[in-house]
Amino acid sequence: MISRRRLLSLAGASALLAACGSNTGRDGNGQALKQWYHAYGEPGVQQAVERYAKAFTKTPVDVQWNPGDYDSKLATSLLSGGGPDVFESTPQISSVRAGQLVPLDDVFGDARNDFTDSILATHTVDGKLYGVPQAVDMQMLFYRKSFLQQAGVQPPSTVDELVDASRRLTKDGVKGLFAGNDGGGGVLGGPALWSAGLDYVRDHQVGFDDPVAAQAIGKLRELYSSGSLLLGAVKDWAEPDAFTQGLVAMQWTGLWTVPAIQKALGDDFGVLPFPKFSSSGKASVPVGAFGAMINAKSKRIDEAKEFVKWLWIERTDYQEDFNLSYGFHIPPRRSISEKASKLTTGAAADAVKFVRDNAKASNPPDWTSVMRTAFNDAVSRVVRDGAPADAEIKAAADKARDELKRLYG
Amino acid sequence: MRHGRAFWLFVGPFAVGLLVFVYVPIGWSLLLSFFDARNTVTPTSFVGLRNYADMLTDAPFLRSLGTFSVFAVFIVPLTFVLALALALLVNQISFMKAFFRSVFFLPTACSYVVASLVWKLSIFNGVRFGLANTVLGWFGAEPIAWTVSTSPPWYWLVLVTLRLWLQLGFYLILFIAGLQRIPQHLYEAAWIDGASRGWQTLRYITLPQLRTTSIAVLLLLLIAAYQAFDEFYNVLGTDRGYPPFARPPLIYLYYTALGSGGQDFGHGSAGAVILTLLIAGVTLLQGKVITR
């Protein structure tokens, strides 16, 4: 017979064990598929995606909303068996090479031709598609029309004009441009390369090992040291506050801010791509799209594929609702974006045009964290410390070359 | 010694937790540091000491170790002296002792993240209506972008004041505890022997009697300096990553091991082991120098 105290200690131990093995929701059949989203800022998105999931009748789907550092949380969960079955992200070559993702070419079917090519490219690794694009996001330059008029400044169409405009628009406590609290190095590094006809990675080679890259990054330094940038704002570049509060005449931010800016400023704003630097370069907008992806460790890959196909290929009404009813995104499918009335006028129409003509992948699958850290460090040192651009860019290119050699041999 | 059931009932859960959540991960991390462990924690390709060689020649990692050795050289004595001075003051006063002790200890209870956001967003934000810039404005000075500007590196002012505010109270309490353990009769004897109340008793009685406390405080401060993460990450980190300056080794390793766009646990773990050895080495050295 077990004494009472013995029983108590056993109970304590089993409670501890039970606490360790949390319910992952994927043991046994008939349980729900787990789907993860990062926390969208716009109100209503969470309710919407829960509504979509509920409408899928074949299998129950549990939606998990993940505030905070979604990328790290997702990456960690993909290592263990407890991750989601379906999740949103952008594919990285490292996860593909580690066998963490399921190729989804068969999910697309005929709809493949309906997706914008530049967007599909951001979900393609080694010739296979790993995500079904859900919503296109892009960044561009917003400017206050009235501020430019008062100062007699034309909307800039070259990088030199941008630097000049930023300088001339700085007066009476208003700064010319806000491009992030780090002085623009973070968000404008890519656009600076593209403005000079370069890129992060091109055909498995370093795309910026070129003296022109140093000149283009040098322009960001010129902008920073001109004293015309807003620095240390309360909300960073991804929020429209500095622009709508009239702290700046121009701001680099995202398409997602259009509704808030429209509400605050009415028609008094225009949008531009990042201008070209040299004649070989081009105006550009960074573009990215979260896609629905499937965890290779999922025990229910077929059901997950069915769900992804249903939600992101078949239910075009949900795709339209997801893109346009809450925040402001461009539907990745032409058949939807072309008929969306919200996208035919004003800044939104311009944005659609930029995505068609000037799109550059903001986060290509083979731009790994090692390369990104090396490049961002170099840009930051040039812009904020005034370090010599050619040496810094060269060092970053060397690091990127080693990494590409490891990836592609 | 034979332990009863009660012993295991109370100690068991804690010991199991320690084993599962502390010792196993440490051992695992050590194991990972010898493997090419990209996007996996169960690696198969053994690389020997290559990860260590890579990390020891990795310029950003070495630079962050260097930066934080310099940081330690400044922050450790500064916190030590300020905490000791405050402890002596709080211990001296005869009224509202408990009040002052609590007031100085209170920030220790504040979350690092919350304090970092207050420092970054309201006290030291870069726009003209930030608290620090408003004060500057009274004197007619231009607003300063505190956390952005690298010449002069104002971000150190933000980070150091934040760290002092958060940590001082904890070390203050340690010192007060130490001070209260010094027997009063030592002071009385000294006064009878003609020692002056200020410097002489401090130099020949208080400080020697605080020796064990001082060693503990120095040790904790040093470890805390190398383990800097929270306030740095929250003040200087952005959604585009962390700038290449004032980058604590742990933040660099965090991005290496868990950064989006490729997890590299091999190099991350090797870096962590190097950092651990460095902290252990410096601590031993410090212990040797002080106890000599």
Side-chain angles (χ1 to χ4, degrees), chain A residues 29-78:
Chain A
N29 290 324
Q31 291 228 32
L33 280 175
K34 279 215 301 182
Q35 186 187 21
W36 279 18
Y37 290 92
H38 87 290
Y40 286 80
E42 305 91 352
V45 183
Q46 188 178 3
Q47 288 73 20
V49 296
E50 278 165 2
R51 195 174 70 237
Y52 309 154
K54 209 169 264 173
F56 186 61
T57 47
K58 279 194 181 150
T59 318
V61 179
D62 269 347
V63 170
Q64 186 175 322
W65 200 247
N66 294 285
D69 189 354
Y70 176 69
D71 284 344
S72 303
K73 185 175 178 184
L74 178 68
T76 315
S77 80
L78 289 181

Side-chain angles (χ1 to χ4, degrees), chain A residues 69 72 75 79 92 94-95 98 100 173 181 231-232 234 237 368-369 372 376-377 380-381 384-385 399 406, chain B residues 9 38-40 58 63 121 125-128 145 147-148 150 233 239-240 244-245 247 254 260-263 265:
Chain A
D69 189 354
S72 303
L79 293 175
Q92 296 297 326
S94 52
S95 351
Q100 293 178 326
N181 281 330
L231 299 169
V234 177
W237 68 277
T368 65
S369 66
R372 186 170 28 220
N376 285 352
D377 282 7
S380 174
R381 273 195 286 266
R384 287 159 89 166
D385 294 350
K399 190 110 190 181
R406 183 180 69 75
Chain B
L9 180 59
R38 286 190 164 85
N39 290 58
T40 174
D58 186 38
R63 209 174 294 134
L121 299 180
N125 76 40
V127 291
R128 57 180 184 270
T147 55
V148 185
T150 55
Y233 186 78
D239 61 341
R240 319 303 286 185
F245 48 82
R247 179 161 53 195
Y254 172 76
S260 56
Q263 302 156 296
F265 295 107

Side-chain angles (χ1 to χ4, degrees), chain B residues 254-284:
Chain B
Y254 172 76
Y255 278 105
T256 304
L258 293 165
S260 56
Q263 302 156 296
D264 188 347
F265 295 107
H267 285 102
S269 301
V273 172
I274 293 171
L275 182 62
T276 310
L277 291 177
L278 180 73
I279 294 177
V282 174
T283 312
L284 284 177

Side-chain angles (χ1 to χ4, degrees), chain A residues 3 5-6 8-10 12 16 20 69 71-72 75-76 79 92 94-96 98 100 139 172-175 181-183 186-187 221 224 230-238 245-247 297 362 367-370 372-373 376-378 380-381 384-386 399 403 406, chain B residues 5-6 9 12-14 16-17 20-21 36 38-42 50 58-60 63 120-122 124-129 142 144-151 155 233 236-245 247 252 254-256 258-265:
Chain A
S3 75
R5 209 193 281 174
R6 182 71 179 272
L8 199 71
S9 73
L10 281 175
L16 186 82
C20 291
D69 189 354
D71 284 344
S72 303
T76 315
L79 293 175
Q92 296 297 326
S94 52
S95 351
V96 172
Q100 293 178 326
Q139 301 156 29
D172 308 330
V174 176
K175 292 282 190 182
N181 281 330
D182 58 359
V187 282
R221 167 67 185 172
Y224 179 83
L230 176 68
L231 299 169
V234 177
K235 300 274 184 77
D236 214 340
W237 68 277
Q245 288 167 6
L247 295 176
K297 285 206 175 80
S362 64
W367 183 237
T368 65
S369 66
V370 172
R372 186 170 28 220
T373 303
N376 285 352
D377 282 7
S380 174
R381 273 195 286 266
R384 287 159 89 166
D385 294 350
K399 190 110 190 181
E403 180 80 347
R406 183 180 69 75
Chain B
R5 251 181 246 134
L9 180 59
F14 176 72
V16 169
V20 172
F21 295 113
D36 181 2
R38 286 190 164 85
N39 290 58
T40 174
V41 286
T42 49
R50 204 183 67 201
D58 186 38
R63 209 174 294 134
K120 175 186 184 175
L121 299 180
S122 83
F124 288 109
N125 76 40
V127 291
R128 57 180 184 270
F129 47 75
E142 283 290 301
I144 291 175
W146 299 98
T147 55
V148 185
S149 161
T150 55
S151 50
Y155 52 85
Y233 186 78
L236 289 181
T238 68
D239 61 341
R240 319 303 286 185
Y242 195 93
F245 48 82
R247 179 161 53 195
Y252 184 70
Y254 172 76
Y255 278 105
T256 304
L258 293 165
S260 56
Q263 302 156 296
D264 188 347
F265 295 107

Side-chain angles (χ1 to χ4, degrees), chain B residues 105-143:
Chain B
F105 183 69
L106 222 50
T108 307
C110 180
S111 147
Y112 269 57
V113 180
V114 172
S116 305
L117 292 180
V118 170
W119 249 249
K120 175 186 184 175
L121 299 180
S122 83
I123 301 180
F124 288 109
N125 76 40
V127 291
R128 57 180 184 270
F129 47 75
L131 184 63
N133 281 335
T134 308
V135 173
L136 282 184
W138 294 339
F139 301 100
E142 283 290 301

